[in-house]
Amino acid sequence: MRTKAWRAAAHYITLTLLLALTLPPFYMLLITSLKDRGQIIRHFWYPALPLHFDHYTAAFVQITPYLIHSVLITAGLVGCVLC
């Protein structure tokens, strides 16, 4: 019984360490995506105000035709499968 408890504790510790190694890149991705170039240089590790969401709007404008195309292809395929 005691070895099962130690094994479970070891699994949770391992998962916690893997989570600690996995989350920082996503944090940096989000933080740097909301900054302009000057803010990235001056405030690299933490968020800086004002947040710049215009990067997301520019990216969305560029991928909109591809998203529409994907939705149309998916709708057509689903329609063919269900018929």
Side-chain angles (χ1 to χ4, degrees):
M1 186 70 161
R2 188 167 251 207
T3 59
K4 286 184 179 181
W6 281 105
R7 188 174 295 164
H11 286 170
Y12 283 116
I13 290 170
T14 303
L15 289 174
T16 303
L17 289 173
L18 288 174
L19 181 67
L21 291 173
T22 303
L23 287 181
F26 290 107
Y27 170 77
M28 291 304 298
L29 176 101
L30 180 65
I31 294 303
T32 55
S33 71
L34 294 173
K35 297 178 184 178
D36 63 3
R37 289 183 181 165
Q39 289 174 329
I40 291 173
I41 293 170
R42 288 186 306 260
H43 309 287
F44 185 74
W45 292 106
Y46 53 90
L49 296 176
L51 300 177
H52 296 277
F53 290 97
D54 52 336
H55 303 297
Y56 286 102
T57 56
F60 188 74
V61 166
Q62 290 180 357
I63 66 168
T64 300
Y66 303 107
L67 288 174
I68 292 170
H69 184 262
S70 296
V71 168
L72 291 175
I73 295 295
T74 303
L77 288 173
V78 168
C80 289
V81 168
L82 294 178
C83 287

